[in-house]
Amino acid sequence: MKTILMVIDGCRPDALSQAKTPVIDNMIKKGSCSLNAETVSPPITLPVHFSIFTSMTPIAHNVLTNTGSPMPSSEARSIIDVAKDFGKKTAAFYSWEHFRNLSTPGALDHAHLTKSNSVKNCDIEIAESVSSYLVSDLPDFTFVYLEGTDIAGHENGWMSKEYFEAIENADKAVGVILETLASNNLSNSFNIILQSDHGGVGRKHMHDVKEVMTVLWIAYGHGIKEQHRIKQDINVIDTAPTLAMLMNIPAHHSWQGCAVREVKTNI
């Protein structure tokens, strides 16, 4: 099964009930979800993404800040690298250049950096680029990064009017991708994990408090249990093993997380 990992940066799960998110609401209804998954410390964008991709805590993968030149541990192995090792076609779409470091050189078959001049439209622009590529190239693993929510949180505050509007824009972006899959009869070819990396309080997300550490985590697609609230305690380090499970490839020996096996209908 092909997989897509979508990360909505800075999306607090408790904000979904206050914003209009029909697409994400439907994914929750027709998929498996946790609104109480946990991120890692420090809850900063690049360290958390390294934890998502390498299934290691920041102290283990050694990326502790939002640096443009990280020096990850030699033991760290990204889901992108592992997928490529097993002959999978890989792609990434993002608006923050630091994410070029999430895999080793040559592991990505396609990398697309979008530098938008519009905070409001940045997620939609990413979604449109992703949609075209999914149909034309049918990648086995695709990373999709939606940044608008985090920008709104820093500029206007988490749980502000502008923050809720950014969540609604992210929801529309996810909808663009799902509609493209549906209109091209590809919905049953892809499993999707949609998650956030951290929350936020005020205009920051530096402290280990519930509003920062609690994240959204949804599995959705063909063969995923519907209307299922996940019982397993989930940490972001469980994402890479779950993606590997869905792609039917083995987890890397260095990974610290566990696949969320209960989301599959045949388990």
Side-chain angles (χ1 to χ4, degrees):
M1 182 67 72
K2 300 178 185 300
T3 61
I4 303 172
L5 170 63
M6 302 184 190
V7 179
I8 304 178
D9 195 342
C11 182
R12 279 176 49 168
D14 59 342
L16 297 177
S17 62
Q18 300 184 53
K20 296 177 182 178
T21 54
V23 177
I24 296 174
D25 293 346
N26 188 60
M27 293 179 72
I28 291 173
K29 180 180 179 180
K30 294 187 176 180
S32 297
C33 82
S34 172
L35 301 179
N36 295 288
E38 187 175 2
T39 193
V40 293
S41 184
I44 305 171
T45 299
L46 192 62
V48 175
H49 276 76
F50 262 89
S51 289
I52 292 171
F53 278 73
T54 68
S55 187
M56 301 174 86
T57 61
I59 197 68
H61 62 58
N62 196 46
V63 178
L64 302 174
T65 64
N66 283 338
T67 173
S69 300
M71 298 184 66
S73 164
S74 60
E75 291 295 311
R77 192 70 173 164
S78 168
I79 180 63
I80 297 173
D81 297 313
V82 173
K84 191 63 178 176
D85 288 344
F86 285 88
K88 304 297 185 181
K89 182 182 290 187
T90 59
F93 294 78
Y94 48 86
S95 53
W96 193 40
E97 201 165 4
H98 288 22
F99 286 148
R100 68 184 183 277
N101 297 299
L102 287 172
S103 60
T104 56
L108 273 173
D109 292 296
H110 183 83
H112 185 99
L113 172 66
T114 295
K115 291 205 170 186
S116 177
N117 293 320
S118 169
V119 172
K120 182 177 180 179
N121 295 327
C122 63
D123 291 346
I124 296 295
E125 291 174 10
I126 288 283
E128 290 172 347
S129 297
V130 172
S131 297
S132 175
Y133 185 79
L134 289 174
V135 174
S136 64
D137 286 67
L138 298 174
D140 298 295
F141 171 78
T142 306
F143 168 50
V144 181
Y145 174 66
L146 303 176
E147 185 182 13
T149 307
D150 187 69
I151 294 173
H154 285 295
E155 291 186 352
N156 305 107
W158 266 259
M159 312 305 275
S160 65
K161 173 179 175 289
E162 293 82 2
Y163 176 75
F164 292 131
E165 290 174 350
I167 290 178
E168 293 170 2
N169 287 335
D171 186 76
K172 292 174 184 175
V174 175
V176 168
I177 296 170
L178 296 187
E179 176 57 32
T180 296
L181 294 179
S183 62
N184 288 275
N185 297 314
L186 292 172
S187 296
N188 288 343
S189 298
F190 288 86
N191 282 153
I192 297 169
I193 291 181
L194 173 69
Q195 68 173 97
S196 46
D197 54 347
H198 57 73
V201 176
R203 298 188 181 188
K204 298 180 180 180
H205 50 86
M206 296 291 293
H207 303 295
D208 296 0
V209 297
K210 181 179 179 181
E211 294 84 356
V212 173
M213 300 299 291
T214 305
V215 296
L216 170 72
W217 201 96
I218 303 170
Y220 173 86
H222 183 67
I224 301 296
K225 288 180 183 176
E226 295 189 12
Q227 298 184 353
H228 179 66
R229 286 298 178 103
I230 298 168
K231 301 176 180 66
Q232 174 181 329
D233 291 335
I234 298 178
N235 188 283
V236 296
I237 65 172
D238 298 323
T239 297
T242 305
L243 289 164
M245 173 189 71
L246 296 174
M247 286 188 284
N248 197 31
I249 60 177
H252 193 261
H253 65 82
S254 67
W255 290 355
Q256 297 173 327
C258 299
V260 186
R261 297 186 176 278
E262 68 177 87
V263 304
K264 295 187 68 175
T265 56
N266 61 346
I267 296 299

